[in-house]
Amino acid sequence: MSRKKELNRKNHFLWMILAVLIAGITIAVVFSRSETMTLEELHDLLWDGHPGWLVLALVSMLGYMVFEGLSLNVLLRSIGIKTSLKNGIVYGAADAYFSAITPSATGGQPAVVYFMTKYGVPMATAIAILIINLILYNVSTIILGLLVVIIHPEIFFAFNPLSRTIIIAGGTVVTLLGIALILLLKKGEWMGEFLVKIVNLIHKIGIIRKPDKLVKRIRELEKDYGDAEKLIEGKPLMIFKAGVYNLLQRLSLIMVPVYMDLAISHSTGKPITIWAIQCFIALGANCVPIPGAMGAYDYLMIDGYHNLMNPERVYRLAILSRAMSFYLCVIISCIIVLIAYLRTKEKDKGTEDVETS
């Protein structure tokens, strides 16, 4: 085992422990704000809940992984690379799991690249495909944000000032990131030169002592985005299909609280309003550099729901929705990733045995 692999596994373990700690603190804080909520009561709410809506909530959560896999499969097949639904689900699970336990979802894409290369996708192609998918993911987030602002602008003002600030910051981050990614895709050389000049300027000021590594990274990004642009050239239908899957991926997670509200007793009967609130929350979560936006996401949910229902129901819906859309999603994706990882290691070992025999 190489030293690099040891460090990667160590970092994975540390991030996993940190994510569990943050999750525990977040859940404890929500429970502490409620005067009567207990685990037994939450169990009873689920047990007595409407089975149809609960199943839809579960299916919607799983859709978060499946739709990403379908999007990546569309992109891969468009360039003649064979893939399967099983492979796609592994890609979606790897992104969901590692994004959930690393700050700003930084671990998701490297994990997907790992599995893509194990399934026979060249690394340069895998990186280019993920760049395209990332752009589509950001565009779908922007579309949903614009849609909810147009349809339900009044809901934004129902949030408190801190929540509105977080939502504006998140919307700004995802918009600027989307613009930057598209510019890198379409104007890679121009953006590369621009970024190199900024790095050199910062170096002259004295903020950066050794700019060479950053300049090298910028040149690598320039090449990666150039490869991505070549892949999508002349393929508008492929981009549209992958974009639709990205939009469905975003919607699938947003819909979980809607179904949970309908599933448990004393529903608000306002699914469109809850959907709109969740769209704003999804925007705000983009600016929180905490694994899974834990804490901040829950805070926005509790604040967003306060005008729809009494506080005790708010806490219950927040806990149950996050348990389904995030915590259960992380557990299931972890299991899928672990099984896929063990199978790739077993396959690698089998290949090594054949080569040495």
Side-chain angles (χ1 to χ4, degrees):
M1 181 187 297
S2 68
R3 178 64 177 165
K4 184 178 180 181
K5 286 185 178 178
E6 287 179 8
L7 287 172
N8 287 340
R9 289 183 183 180
K10 182 181 178 181
N11 288 340
H12 170 217
F13 180 75
L14 290 174
W15 282 124
M16 185 172 63
I17 294 298
L18 179 61
V20 170
L21 287 173
I22 296 173
I25 293 170
T26 300
I27 293 170
V29 169
V30 176
F31 265 91
S32 69
R33 295 189 63 177
S34 172
E35 296 178 357
T36 60
M37 184 167 59
T38 63
L39 287 174
E40 184 180 0
E41 183 195 8
L42 292 176
H43 172 271
D44 291 340
L45 281 173
L46 287 176
W47 185 258
D48 297 331
H50 191 288
W53 293 120
L54 288 173
V55 169
L56 278 175
L58 177 62
V59 170
S60 193
M61 177 272 289
L62 294 174
Y64 183 72
M65 291 178 277
V66 174
F67 285 127
E68 178 168 12
L70 292 173
S71 173
L72 292 172
N73 280 353
V74 165
L75 296 173
L76 287 167
R77 286 170 183 154
S78 72
I79 55 174
I81 294 178
K82 292 182 178 180
T83 185
S84 65
L85 178 60
K86 181 182 71 175
N87 289 357
I89 290 174
V90 171
Y91 301 149
D95 194 12
Y97 173 63
F98 284 96
S99 293
I101 66 169
T102 53
S104 301
T106 51
Q109 289 202 327
V112 179
V113 169
Y114 169 84
F115 282 108
M116 279 190 173
T117 55
K118 288 296 182 182
Y119 294 154
V121 181
M123 181 171 287
T125 302
I127 292 171
I129 289 292
L130 286 172
I131 286 170
I132 297 167
N133 199 62
L134 178 62
I135 292 172
L136 294 174
Y137 183 85
N138 277 274
V139 170
S140 66
T141 304
I142 294 169
I143 289 172
L144 285 175
L146 290 173
L147 187 63
V148 73
V149 167
I150 293 169
I151 297 175
H152 281 294
E154 75 283 355
I155 288 177
F156 171 75
F157 296 100
F159 285 92
N160 68 34
L162 176 58
S163 295
R164 291 200 297 268
T165 302
I166 295 172
I167 292 168
I168 290 171
T172 302
V173 166
V174 74
T175 302
L176 292 178
L177 180 60
I179 293 171
L181 291 173
I182 292 171
L183 284 175
L184 279 168
L185 188 68
K186 292 296 184 181
K187 303 288 183 181
E189 291 184 10
W190 179 84
M191 279 293 290
E193 291 301 324
F194 176 71
L195 292 173
V196 168
K197 287 180 181 179
I198 290 179
V199 169
N200 290 331
L201 177 62
I202 295 173
H203 170 59
K204 288 179 181 179
I205 296 172
I207 297 175
I208 299 175
R209 291 186 179 182
K210 297 179 180 180
D212 295 345
K213 286 185 177 180
L214 275 175
V215 171
K216 182 181 178 182
R217 179 58 182 148
I218 289 169
R219 294 306 182 195
E220 289 173 351
L221 282 173
E222 189 179 324
K223 181 183 179 303
D224 291 340
Y225 276 81
D227 293 340
E229 184 183 14
K230 292 174 185 176
L231 286 182
I232 65 172
E233 192 173 356
K235 298 174 181 175
L237 180 59
M238 175 267 289
I239 292 297
F240 176 76
K241 287 175 66 177
V244 169
Y245 282 132
N246 269 274
L247 192 61
L248 290 172
Q249 182 195 12
R250 297 298 287 154
L251 281 170
S252 64
L253 217 55
I254 286 171
M255 289 300 294
V256 172
V258 176
Y259 295 137
M260 290 300 296
D261 176 64
L262 293 168
I264 60 178
S265 59
H266 302 101
S267 169
T268 60
K270 297 180 179 179
I272 300 299
T273 303
I274 292 179
W275 171 84
I277 291 170
Q278 288 300 133
C279 286
F280 281 116
I281 292 170
L283 273 180
N286 286 285
C287 73
V288 183
I290 299 172
M294 286 184 284
Y297 198 104
D298 302 82
Y299 172 79
L300 290 172
M301 284 186 73
I302 291 170
D303 181 39
Y305 293 157
H306 77 280
N307 284 331
L308 289 181
M309 57 194 88
N310 65 68
E312 289 300 319
R313 181 176 170 81
V314 168
Y315 302 136
R316 286 154 179 76
L317 183 58
I319 284 286
L320 292 174
S321 296
R322 284 291 272 173
M324 178 72 77
S325 66
F326 183 73
Y327 300 116
L328 183 59
C329 181
V330 171
I331 292 170
I332 292 175
S333 61
C334 177
I335 293 170
I336 293 172
V337 168
L338 180 59
I339 293 171
Y341 175 75
L342 292 175
R343 285 182 175 175
T344 59
K345 299 306 288 183
E346 184 179 333
K347 184 178 178 181
D348 290 344
K349 186 179 178 181
T351 304
E352 290 175 4
D353 291 341
V354 170
E355 290 176 351
T356 55
S357 62

